[in-house]
Amino acid sequence: MKQKIFFTDLDSTLILNSGDPKYLDETKYVCVSRKYNRPSGFMRLDNFQKLQEVNKVYTVIPITSRCLTSYMDVNLGFTPEYSLVDNGAILLNGREILTRWMIDSETNLETSYDAFKKCREYLISLGYFEKWGSPFVLDFSTKRKDLGNLEIKEEFLKCISNPDESPIAKYTLDGVINSYISGNLRSIVIVNSKMTKEKSIKRFIDYVG
């Protein structure tokens, strides 16, 4: 591993996720991930080229809330020496899972599995569907464009303003936090408060000494 480390998020940082036809312009964008064998993630060509240069000087370590299956579909132009997946619950060395790290993650999070289950059931009851299954990160989207409605908006506003009355907030008592709600309330990511990206980076630094 090089002396300098460059940690980076992927989605909405390096990778643009959109069906916009402009991203198919290969003179300006590079496809870096596919879903169902169709292009789903893109990088600007100049950023992609800069990343290759950065990788020559720094150890580039992606840290992402993507699940393992989704992350394995990403091609950054090189295989990172280390990758923190599932918000840091999984550590890859190249393409290999470091088992000891994942066991420690599971031990650290075992008290919050019931809360995750309640969050999952509640979001499904609101009409959300799970984008991929993971014991560490819940990623949900809506089935209908009109589902970003007042009922959901008010629920999450209550979560912020009056947590004692919010089902989601009650689950946070067992270590689960709502880390991201999109502006149109159609995408929700729930992660564990013990497994934030910041804490996972610190854990990795302690791990490699």
Side-chain angles (χ1 to χ4, degrees), residues 61-81:
I61 302 180
I63 177 165
T64 176
S65 59
R66 284 178 178 240
C67 69
L68 182 62
T69 302
S70 178
Y71 174 72
M72 288 299 196
D73 289 335
V74 174
N75 180 4
L76 297 174
F78 57 89
T79 300
E81 184 176 354

Side-chain angles (χ1 to χ4, degrees), residues 1 4-10 51 55 58-64 71 76 78 80-85 91-92 201 204-205 208:
M1 189 167 66
K4 298 179 180 179
I5 300 176
F6 179 74
F7 292 98
T8 179
D9 194 10
L10 293 181
L51 185 64
N55 186 52
Y58 293 80
T59 296
V60 176
I61 302 180
I63 177 165
T64 176
Y71 174 72
L76 297 174
F78 57 89
E81 184 176 354
Y82 291 100
S83 304
L84 289 159
V85 184
L91 176 63
L92 299 180
I201 288 173
F204 175 83
I205 293 171
V208 297

Side-chain angles (χ1 to χ4, degrees), residues 97-195:
I97 296 174
L98 295 182
T99 307
R100 182 70 257 170
W101 177 283
M102 192 166 70
I103 291 173
D104 289 345
S105 297
E106 290 174 340
T107 301
N108 196 29
L109 302 181
E110 62 186 358
T111 59
S112 63
Y113 285 145
D114 285 345
F116 259 49
K117 182 179 179 181
K118 291 175 183 177
C119 282
R120 178 182 286 113
E121 291 170 349
Y122 179 67
L123 289 169
I124 289 173
S125 76
L126 290 180
Y128 281 79
F129 71 98
E130 197 168 5
K131 291 168 67 176
W132 53 62
S134 167
F136 308 110
V137 177
L138 303 181
D139 192 348
F140 283 83
S141 291
T142 57
K143 295 179 181 177
R144 304 191 309 274
K145 288 184 178 180
D146 62 351
L147 203 54
N149 57 29
L150 285 177
E151 175 192 355
I152 298 173
K153 184 174 182 179
E154 289 177 357
E155 181 55 57
F156 284 106
L157 287 177
K158 276 201 302 183
C159 178
I160 297 169
S161 62
N162 196 357
D164 290 338
E165 296 182 11
S166 167
I168 290 288
K170 288 177 182 176
Y171 305 150
T172 70
L173 299 179
D174 201 16
V176 177
I177 61 170
N178 172 40
S179 78
Y180 174 71
I181 304 175
S182 70
N184 57 10
L185 289 169
R186 293 176 192 149
S187 181
I188 296 176
V189 178
I190 305 288
V191 301
N192 194 289
S193 58
K194 297 179 182 178
M195 200 61 66

Side-chain angles (χ1 to χ4, degrees), residues 11-80:
D11 297 286
S12 301
T13 303
L14 291 180
I15 299 177
L16 307 166
N17 299 294
S18 171
D20 193 324
K22 73 179 182 182
Y23 294 141
L24 298 176
D25 182 351
E26 294 182 356
T27 65
K28 296 181 179 179
Y29 298 93
V30 178
C31 175
V32 294
S33 67
R34 305 179 72 86
K35 188 174 183 179
Y36 307 124
N37 208 31
R38 299 176 60 183
S40 62
F42 303 85
M43 283 184 65
R44 281 175 37 185
L45 180 58
D46 57 342
N47 287 342
F48 183 82
Q49 292 169 338
K50 287 175 184 175
L51 185 64
Q52 311 314 305
E53 294 301 313
V54 169
N55 186 52
K56 294 176 183 178
V57 181
Y58 293 80
T59 296
V60 176
I61 302 180
I63 177 165
T64 176
S65 59
R66 284 178 178 240
C67 69
L68 182 62
T69 302
S70 178
Y71 174 72
M72 288 299 196
D73 289 335
V74 174
N75 180 4
L76 297 174
F78 57 89
T79 300

